[in-house]
Amino acid sequence: MLAEGIALVRWRGWSAGDAALRLLPGAIMLLALRAALLGLAWPWIALALAASFPVHLADLGRRRR
């Protein structure tokens, strides 16, 4: 994901903030996947999934401007 963020900034001309905001929800969901694969308790998985939602909404709100 870091390489994708660098590519978006370098070749697409996005600001680092835009690239980070678009990639952050996916990164948080990957943390939820990792928690599930490690067999952690379900509240940790749910917490990570719930944390990705407001970041996703912030990304959508920023795109509307």
Side-chain angles (χ1 to χ4, degrees):
M1 292 189 85
L2 180 62
E4 184 177 358
I6 291 170
L8 290 173
V9 170
R10 197 172 264 188
W11 290 298
R12 290 286 193 136
W14 292 7
S15 71
D18 284 341
L21 198 55
R22 288 194 184 184
L23 294 175
L24 192 57
I28 297 171
M29 285 188 275
L30 283 174
L31 289 175
L33 175 63
R34 181 171 171 83
L37 291 174
L38 289 175
L40 296 181
W42 70 266
W44 292 109
I45 300 165
L47 179 67
L49 289 174
S52 71
F53 185 63
V55 180
H56 178 65
L57 290 178
D59 173 36
L60 291 177
R62 190 168 180 167
R63 288 187 199 192
R64 293 193 72 168
R65 291 185 204 174

PDB file of all heavy atoms in Angstrom, residues 1-18:
ATOM      1  N   MET A   1       0.819  -1.184   0.000  1.00  0.00           N
ATOM      2  CA  MET A   1       0.000   0.000   0.000  1.00  0.00           C
ATOM      3  C   MET A   1       0.871   1.259   0.000  1.00  0.00           C
ATOM      4  O   MET A   1       0.459   2.270  -0.554  1.00  0.00           O
ATOM      5  CB  MET A   1      -0.934  -0.001   1.199  1.00  0.00           C
ATOM      6  CG  MET A   1      -1.998  -1.081   1.114  1.00  0.00           C
ATOM      7  SD  MET A   1      -3.246  -0.938   2.367  1.00  0.00           S
ATOM      8  CE  MET A   1      -4.332   0.202   1.585  1.00  0.00           C
ATOM      9  N   LEU A   2       2.013   1.160   0.620  1.00  0.00           N
ATOM     10  CA  LEU A   2       2.927   2.304   0.618  1.00  0.00           C
ATOM     11  C   LEU A   2       3.391   2.614  -0.805  1.00  0.00           C
ATOM     12  O   LEU A   2       3.409   3.781  -1.211  1.00  0.00           O
ATOM     13  CB  LEU A   2       4.125   2.028   1.524  1.00  0.00           C
ATOM     14  CG  LEU A   2       5.162   3.130   1.624  1.00  0.00           C
ATOM     15  CD1 LEU A   2       4.561   4.391   2.206  1.00  0.00           C
ATOM     16  CD2 LEU A   2       6.319   2.660   2.476  1.00  0.00           C
ATOM     17  N   ALA A   3       3.709   1.574  -1.559  1.00  0.00           N
ATOM     18  CA  ALA A   3       4.133   1.770  -2.946  1.00  0.00           C
ATOM     19  C   ALA A   3       3.003   2.377  -3.773  1.00  0.00           C
ATOM     20  O   ALA A   3       3.237   3.247  -4.624  1.00  0.00           O
ATOM     21  CB  ALA A   3       4.585   0.446  -3.549  1.00  0.00           C
ATOM     22  N   GLU A   4       1.777   1.945  -3.529  1.00  0.00           N
ATOM     23  CA  GLU A   4       0.636   2.508  -4.245  1.00  0.00           C
ATOM     24  C   GLU A   4       0.453   3.983  -3.897  1.00  0.00           C
ATOM     25  O   GLU A   4       0.190   4.811  -4.771  1.00  0.00           O
ATOM     26  CB  GLU A   4      -0.624   1.729  -3.906  1.00  0.00           C
ATOM     27  CG  GLU A   4      -1.831   2.185  -4.686  1.00  0.00           C
ATOM     28  CD  GLU A   4      -3.062   1.345  -4.384  1.00  0.00           C
ATOM     29  OE1 GLU A   4      -2.977   0.384  -3.599  1.00  0.00           O
ATOM     30  OE2 GLU A   4      -4.123   1.674  -4.954  1.00  0.00           O
ATOM     31  N   GLY A   5       0.619   4.322  -2.629  1.00  0.00           N
ATOM     32  CA  GLY A   5       0.504   5.715  -2.224  1.00  0.00           C
ATOM     33  C   GLY A   5       1.567   6.587  -2.861  1.00  0.00           C
ATOM     34  O   GLY A   5       1.285   7.699  -3.313  1.00  0.00           O
ATOM     35  N   ILE A   6       2.785   6.085  -2.908  1.00  0.00           N
ATOM     36  CA  ILE A   6       3.867   6.835  -3.551  1.00  0.00           C
ATOM     37  C   ILE A   6       3.583   7.015  -5.036  1.00  0.00           C
ATOM     38  O   ILE A   6       3.799   8.098  -5.599  1.00  0.00           O
ATOM     39  CB  ILE A   6       5.218   6.125  -3.315  1.00  0.00           C
ATOM     40  CG1 ILE A   6       5.599   6.223  -1.836  1.00  0.00           C
ATOM     41  CG2 ILE A   6       6.308   6.705  -4.204  1.00  0.00           C
ATOM     42  CD1 ILE A   6       6.767   5.359  -1.435  1.00  0.00           C
ATOM     43  N   ALA A   7       3.071   5.964  -5.674  1.00  0.00           N
ATOM     44  CA  ALA A   7       2.751   6.054  -7.105  1.00  0.00           C
ATOM     45  C   ALA A   7       1.644   7.078  -7.352  1.00  0.00           C
ATOM     46  O   ALA A   7       1.703   7.834  -8.330  1.00  0.00           O
ATOM     47  CB  ALA A   7       2.341   4.684  -7.634  1.00  0.00           C
ATOM     48  N   LEU A   8       0.643   7.106  -6.495  1.00  0.00           N
ATOM     49  CA  LEU A   8      -0.441   8.073  -6.676  1.00  0.00           C
ATOM     50  C   LEU A   8       0.058   9.503  -6.531  1.00  0.00           C
ATOM     51  O   LEU A   8      -0.384  10.395  -7.258  1.00  0.00           O
ATOM     52  CB  LEU A   8      -1.559   7.793  -5.663  1.00  0.00           C
ATOM     53  CG  LEU A   8      -2.369   6.528  -5.891  1.00  0.00           C
ATOM     54  CD1 LEU A   8      -3.317   6.293  -4.723  1.00  0.00           C
ATOM     55  CD2 LEU A   8      -3.130   6.594  -7.188  1.00  0.00           C
ATOM     56  N   VAL A   9       0.968   9.714  -5.601  1.00  0.00           N
ATOM     57  CA  VAL A   9       1.502  11.063  -5.400  1.00  0.00           C
ATOM     58  C   VAL A   9       2.419  11.455  -6.546  1.00  0.00           C
ATOM     59  O   VAL A   9       2.325  12.558  -7.092  1.00  0.00           O
ATOM     60  CB  VAL A   9       2.238  11.153  -4.038  1.00  0.00           C
ATOM     61  CG1 VAL A   9       2.998  12.457  -3.919  1.00  0.00           C
ATOM     62  CG2 VAL A   9       1.248  11.002  -2.900  1.00  0.00           C
ATOM     63  N   ARG A  10       3.273  10.528  -6.936  1.00  0.00           N
ATOM     64  CA  ARG A  10       4.286  10.854  -7.928  1.00  0.00           C
ATOM     65  C   ARG A  10       3.732  10.950  -9.348  1.00  0.00           C
ATOM     66  O   ARG A  10       4.012  11.893 -10.076  1.00  0.00           O
ATOM     67  CB  ARG A  10       5.385   9.799  -7.871  1.00  0.00           C
ATOM     68  CG  ARG A  10       6.649  10.229  -8.550  1.00  0.00           C
ATOM     69  CD  ARG A  10       7.731   9.250  -8.303  1.00  0.00           C
ATOM     70  NE  ARG A  10       8.527   9.736  -7.180  1.00  0.00           N
ATOM     71  CZ  ARG A  10       9.644   9.203  -6.799  1.00  0.00           C
ATOM     72  NH1 ARG A  10      10.103   8.135  -7.403  1.00  0.00           N
ATOM     73  NH2 ARG A  10      10.328   9.700  -5.809  1.00  0.00           N
ATOM     74  N   TRP A  11       2.947   9.952  -9.767  1.00  0.00           N
ATOM     75  CA  TRP A  11       2.528   9.909 -11.171  1.00  0.00           C
ATOM     76  C   TRP A  11       1.137  10.452 -11.422  1.00  0.00           C
ATOM     77  O   TRP A  11       0.823  10.841 -12.532  1.00  0.00           O
ATOM     78  CB  TRP A  11       2.643   8.481 -11.703  1.00  0.00           C
ATOM     79  CG  TRP A  11       4.075   8.086 -11.838  1.00  0.00           C
ATOM     80  CD1 TRP A  11       5.016   8.671 -12.639  1.00  0.00           C
ATOM     81  CD2 TRP A  11       4.747   7.047 -11.145  1.00  0.00           C
ATOM     82  NE1 TRP A  11       6.219   8.068 -12.484  1.00  0.00           N
ATOM     83  CE2 TRP A  11       6.095   7.047 -11.570  1.00  0.00           C
ATOM     84  CE3 TRP A  11       4.352   6.107 -10.199  1.00  0.00           C
ATOM     85  CZ2 TRP A  11       7.023   6.154 -11.072  1.00  0.00           C
ATOM     86  CZ3 TRP A  11       5.283   5.215  -9.713  1.00  0.00           C
ATOM     87  CH2 TRP A  11       6.605   5.257 -10.166  1.00  0.00           C
ATOM     88  N   ARG A  12       0.293  10.446 -10.419  1.00  0.00           N
ATOM     89  CA  ARG A  12      -1.044  11.004 -10.593  1.00  0.00           C
ATOM     90  C   ARG A  12      -1.133  12.453 -10.137  1.00  0.00           C
ATOM     91  O   ARG A  12      -2.119  13.119 -10.400  1.00  0.00           O
ATOM     92  CB  ARG A  12      -2.073  10.180  -9.818  1.00  0.00           C
ATOM     93  CG  ARG A  12      -2.338   8.824 -10.359  1.00  0.00           C
ATOM     94  CD  ARG A  12      -3.166   8.916 -11.615  1.00  0.00           C
ATOM     95  NE  ARG A  12      -3.683   7.627 -11.970  1.00  0.00           N
ATOM     96  CZ  ARG A  12      -4.912   7.409 -12.361  1.00  0.00           C
ATOM     97  NH1 ARG A  12      -5.755   8.402 -12.447  1.00  0.00           N
ATOM     98  NH2 ARG A  12      -5.296   6.203 -12.683  1.00  0.00           N
ATOM     99  N   GLY A  13      -0.125  12.897  -9.387  1.00  0.00           N
ATOM    100  CA  GLY A  13      -0.104  14.274  -8.929  1.00  0.00           C
ATOM    101  C   GLY A  13      -1.024  14.562  -7.750  1.00  0.00           C
ATOM    102  O   GLY A  13      -1.363  15.709  -7.502  1.00  0.00           O
ATOM    103  N   TRP A  14      -1.435  13.520  -7.042  1.00  0.00           N
ATOM    104  CA  TRP A  14      -2.289  13.720  -5.869  1.00  0.00           C
ATOM    105  C   TRP A  14      -1.454  14.271  -4.726  1.00  0.00           C
ATOM    106  O   TRP A  14      -0.255  14.042  -4.645  1.00  0.00           O
ATOM    107  CB  TRP A  14      -2.894  12.412  -5.420  1.00  0.00           C
ATOM    108  CG  TRP A  14      -3.894  11.805  -6.344  1.00  0.00           C
ATOM    109  CD1 TRP A  14      -4.223  12.223  -7.596  1.00  0.00           C
ATOM    110  CD2 TRP A  14      -4.695  10.658  -6.096  1.00  0.00           C
ATOM    111  NE1 TRP A  14      -5.162  11.405  -8.131  1.00  0.00           N
ATOM    112  CE2 TRP A  14      -5.476  10.435  -7.235  1.00  0.00           C
ATOM    113  CE3 TRP A  14      -4.815   9.795  -5.022  1.00  0.00           C
ATOM    114  CZ2 TRP A  14      -6.376   9.391  -7.319  1.00  0.00           C
ATOM    115  CZ3 TRP A  14      -5.711   8.758  -5.106  1.00  0.00           C
ATOM    116  CH2 TRP A  14      -6.498   8.568  -6.244  1.00  0.00           C
ATOM    117  N   SER A  15      -2.115  14.978  -3.829  1.00  0.00           N
ATOM    118  CA  SER A  15      -1.413  15.395  -2.614  1.00  0.00           C
ATOM    119  C   SER A  15      -1.251  14.173  -1.720  1.00  0.00           C
ATOM    120  O   SER A  15      -1.985  13.187  -1.839  1.00  0.00           O
ATOM    121  CB  SER A  15      -2.201  16.484  -1.894  1.00  0.00           C
ATOM    122  OG  SER A  15      -3.367  15.943  -1.312  1.00  0.00           O
ATOM    123  N   ALA A  16      -0.294  14.226  -0.822  1.00  0.00           N
ATOM    124  CA  ALA A  16      -0.067  13.104   0.084  1.00  0.00           C
ATOM    125  C   ALA A  16      -1.284  12.878   0.974  1.00  0.00           C
ATOM    126  O   ALA A  16      -1.631  11.738   1.296  1.00  0.00           O
ATOM    127  CB  ALA A  16       1.180  13.355   0.934  1.00  0.00           C
ATOM    128  N   GLY A  17      -1.965  13.936   1.355  1.00  0.00           N
ATOM    129  CA  GLY A  17      -3.167  13.812   2.176  1.00  0.00           C
ATOM    130  C   GLY A  17      -4.298  13.099   1.459  1.00  0.00           C
ATOM    131  O   GLY A  17      -4.994  12.265   2.045  1.00  0.00           O
ATOM    132  N   ASP A  18      -4.492  13.431   0.178  1.00  0.00           N
ATOM    133  CA  ASP A  18      -5.531  12.758  -0.603  1.00  0.00           C
ATOM    134  C   ASP A  18      -5.231  11.273  -0.753  1.00  0.00           C
ATOM    135  O   ASP A  18      -6.117  10.431  -0.607  1.00  0.00           O
ATOM    136  CB  ASP A  18      -5.664  13.387  -1.993  1.00  0.00           C
ATOM    137  CG  ASP A  18      -6.393  14.719  -1.969  1.00  0.00           C
ATOM    138  OD1 ASP A  18      -7.104  14.990  -0.981  1.00  0.00           O
ATOM    139  OD2 ASP A  18      -6.255  15.475  -2.943  1.00  0.00           O
TER     140      ASP A  18
END
